[in-house]
Amino acid sequence: MAGANILENPDLRKGKLTPVLALATLISAFGSSFQYGYNIAVVNSPAPFMQQFYNRTYSERFGAPIDDSFLTLLWSLTVSMFPLGGFLGSLMVAPLVNKLGRRGTLLFNNIFSVVPAVLMGASEAAESYEIIIAARVFVGICAGLSSNVVPMYLGELSPRNLRGAIGIVPQLFITIGILTAQILGIRSILGNTRGWPLMLALTGVPALLELLCLPFFPESPRYSLIQREDEEEARRALRRLRGWEDVDGELAEMRLEDRSERSEGRLSTRRLCCVPSLRWQLLSVVAVNVGQQLSGINAIYYYADSIYSSAGVKGSQIQYVTAGTGAVNVFMTVAAVFVVEAAGRRLLLLVGFGICCGACAVLTAALILQETVQWMPYLSIACVVIYVIGHAIGPSPIPYVVTTEIFRQSSRPAAFMVAGSVHWLSNFTVGLLFPFLEKGLGAYSFIIFSLICLATLVYIFIVVPETKNKTFQEVSQLFAERNKTDMEMETAGPEASSPRPVCGAQESNPDEL
């Protein structure tokens, strides 16, 4: 009866950060999420030296220097293949996590890191820039998978009172990866003619650590119980993760979730879009992820060097200022880890998007006036830093937490696949279109980002509920009224009380996308 009491009175026992949970979090986040951030920034600082290699290789092959337009095309491919690979990786999320499990997918994903790391490290010796471009696709696939699977894995390992804080850790390691690449990219370290191949190859080190260590940590208990129907494995995993023997209450909550959605089977992406009881959850995931990427974070980083230059920062010092901005990003993400359980997910999203909206609006004015008003360039720098702070406390980390919490077990893999696809397509779109926006609109392009931040803020205020310290079943109940569907909160009994299948679909194939 202890389990029933805990289920009815969830505050009787609060989950704690056990050594097993802490180490599983750190190893999976460093081995996977770190690489996402590292590979975002790794080609920025050594770009001139890599382009010299492209030019030299082309000249040796064809006996003439490379044409500027072709060099631009090659470099654009080098940069853009990463988000394209990320999109491809996000399409692989649902089938892999259903077949291999969450931990198994992370281990398999290291193939897409170790192999391209070796290839990129050997590219100069092989005199082939094509190797770098192809390898960027594969590290993009690695990032696309890890950016979705790590939050899913950690969200399912965590007790609900720690789910928000642990859910931000992957984003923290993304920012640490960015900062690490910025530091290593300093000219006196690896951002030079001789160091850039090693800098590219270092992305394989976290993957090797994860391959060695993660097999000693448990698979997601929810996956073991609900999808593999292995209660003993789930019980052993929960005991290791929670640090106590009596885990019947949490197992009962998982079985309740399983019964309430059993008739749905594992939802494919197509069926996910057709289920009325998940309509607003799906719209919310799309809106928050589109807002995250189209809010201008990548454009801010793209524009930062020219802003710093116009403020009088010397060219040789810009790399240090950029690294300082990365350090601010890391610091604020650390702060978000500690405040998310107190402040809640919804408040951090609203505050974060509000700060970004205001910073983009003021930045527009500052950029327009910086040639005529002496102190305006310094206001531009302040806007960049304030924007980074706003994005770090809400729009960057919280969407992953929200995606984990507003979907239940059968729909979560497909939901992460949708979220990841939207995330990477939006990322690719900003990278592709911003240079044209900048050329056509100049400083006014940031007004577009300000309006997108405002629209996302309004949507979150109206639609997205607070999910902190709630079970997955309780969050589904919060959306039931908005979806105009009934969802009975079971307390006992084997009969399922779940939404009826729609769209004329029979029981879905677990392996179907």
Side-chain angles (χ1 to χ4, degrees):
M1 287 296 134
N5 290 336
I6 291 169
L7 189 62
E8 293 170 8
N9 302 285
D11 291 330
L12 284 179
R13 179 177 288 181
K14 295 288 188 183
K16 57 184 179 180
L17 188 63
T18 60
V20 172
L21 178 57
L23 287 173
T25 300
L26 293 175
I27 289 168
S28 58
F30 177 65
S32 295
S33 302
F34 177 91
Q35 296 184 67
Y36 175 9
Y38 185 82
N39 285 293
I40 285 175
V42 72
V43 298
N44 292 344
S45 182
F49 307 105
M50 293 177 66
Q51 291 177 33
Q52 288 173 14
F53 162 68
Y54 287 16
N55 193 9
R56 185 174 66 252
T57 302
Y58 184 92
S59 299
E60 290 174 356
R61 287 182 189 175
F62 302 105
I66 195 170
D67 181 77
D68 285 346
S69 60
F70 188 58
L71 178 60
T72 301
L73 173 62
L74 288 177
W75 188 249
S76 297
L77 288 173
T78 302
V79 175
S80 62
M81 286 301 101
F82 180 71
L84 178 62
F87 172 67
L88 296 175
S90 67
L91 296 179
M92 299 163 63
V93 169
L96 285 178
V97 297
N98 286 330
K99 278 186 174 293
L100 304 179
R102 283 60 165 150
R103 184 190 62 175
T105 300
L106 290 177
L107 292 171
F108 172 78
N109 190 33
N110 288 310
I111 295 173
F112 298 111
S113 176
V114 174
V115 173
V118 173
L119 292 175
M120 288 189 292
S123 59
E124 186 177 35
E127 298 182 346
S128 172
Y129 47 74
E130 294 89 349
I131 287 179
I132 297 175
I133 294 172
R136 289 281 290 175
V137 177
F138 286 104
V139 294
I141 291 173
C142 175
L145 277 166
S146 66
S147 64
N148 292 285
V149 180
V150 176
M152 189 190 309
Y153 177 57
L154 296 183
E156 294 179 7
L157 291 188
S158 308
R160 59 181 170 177
N161 61 298
L162 295 178
R163 199 184 300 138
I166 291 177
I168 291 178
V169 172
Q171 179 61 33
L172 172 61
F173 274 84
I174 290 173
T175 63
I176 293 173
I178 293 173
L179 178 60
T180 301
Q182 290 170 338
I183 292 173
L184 292 179
I186 292 172
R187 298 288 183 263
S188 59
I189 303 178
L190 292 178
N192 50 55
T193 305
R194 302 181 64 181
W196 66 263
L198 175 60
M199 188 175 170
L200 296 182
L202 286 176
T203 188
V205 174
L208 290 173
L209 178 67
E210 186 174 55
L211 273 173
L212 291 172
C213 298
L214 195 60
F216 296 100
F217 292 89
E219 177 58 89
S220 159
R222 307 187 83 85
Y223 173 79
S224 298
L225 179 67
I226 296 176
Q227 289 178 249
R228 294 184 60 185
E229 299 181 351
D230 189 340
E231 182 170 329
E232 282 309 307
E233 183 180 341
R235 186 183 302 275
R236 285 194 299 270
L238 279 174
R239 284 172 173 169
R240 290 183 64 196
L241 290 165
R242 300 295 178 259
W244 52 63
E245 289 295 310
D246 181 14
V247 293
D248 288 343
E250 200 164 351
L251 287 171
E253 186 263 318
M254 292 181 194
R255 284 192 290 266
L256 171 62
E257 179 184 340
D258 183 30
R259 286 198 300 271
S260 72
E261 59 181 1
R262 186 174 295 165
S263 67
E264 296 176 7
R266 265 177 266 167
L267 290 181
S268 66
T269 306
R270 178 177 60 83
R271 286 194 63 213
L272 177 66
C273 300
C274 297
V275 176
S277 62
L278 298 175
R279 182 182 300 119
W280 281 101
Q281 290 95 312
L282 188 63
L283 287 173
S284 297
V285 163
V286 171
V288 171
N289 277 277
V290 167
Q292 179 198 57
Q293 289 300 305
L294 299 190
S295 60
I297 182 62
N298 294 320
I300 286 285
Y301 279 120
Y302 179 88
Y303 212 75
D305 283 4
S306 62
I307 292 173
Y308 297 149
S309 178
S310 66
V313 179
K314 294 180 181 178
S316 60
Q317 301 297 316
I318 287 178
Q319 57 186 328
Y320 299 103
V321 179
T322 301
T325 305
V328 170
N329 196 6
V330 171
F331 177 80
M332 294 309 302
T333 308
V334 171
V337 171
F338 290 99
V339 303
V340 64
E341 294 300 348
R345 292 74 158 130
R346 186 171 180 269
L347 179 61
L348 289 184
L349 283 172
L350 291 172
V351 171
F353 276 111
I355 291 173
C356 292
C357 176
C360 282
V362 176
L363 179 60
T364 301
L367 290 173
I368 292 169
L369 299 174
Q370 69 181 8
E371 297 296 331
T372 56
V373 180
Q374 186 177 4
W375 51 268
M376 275 296 167
Y378 301 100
L379 179 60
S380 300
I381 292 179
C383 287
V384 171
V385 174
I386 291 170
Y387 179 95
V388 168
I389 290 172
H391 216 274
I393 64 172
S396 283
I398 303 299
Y400 300 109
V401 180
V402 170
T403 304
T404 299
E405 293 185 331
I406 66 177
F407 288 94
R408 294 183 293 170
Q409 193 73 16
S410 67
S411 52
R412 193 173 297 124
F416 265 97
M417 194 165 82
V418 171
S421 300
V422 169
H423 172 100
W424 287 102
L425 281 176
S426 300
N427 187 326
F428 182 76
T429 300
V430 171
L432 186 67
L433 296 184
F434 180 72
F436 298 100
L437 282 176
E438 182 192 2
K439 192 173 183 179
L441 299 177
Y444 291 101
S445 58
F446 286 98
I447 284 293
I448 297 175
F449 299 131
S450 181
L451 293 175
I452 291 172
C453 289
L454 179 61
T456 309
L457 186 153
V458 171
Y459 179 91
I460 292 167
F461 183 79
I462 295 174
V463 175
V464 179
E466 181 53 67
T467 60
K468 73 170 182 176
N469 208 28
K470 291 181 171 61
T471 67
F472 297 119
Q473 192 82 347
E474 289 168 344
V475 175
S476 296
Q477 185 69 18
L478 290 176
F479 277 97
E481 183 177 350
R482 185 170 296 280
N483 287 319
K484 294 182 171 57
T485 58
D486 294 324
M487 196 190 86
E488 182 182 343
M489 295 288 284
E490 293 187 48
T491 57
E495 297 301 320
S497 179
S498 60
R500 296 178 181 176
V502 294
C503 294
Q506 66 275 16
E507 189 75 19
S508 67
N509 185 335
D511 299 331
E512 181 188 357
L513 294 181

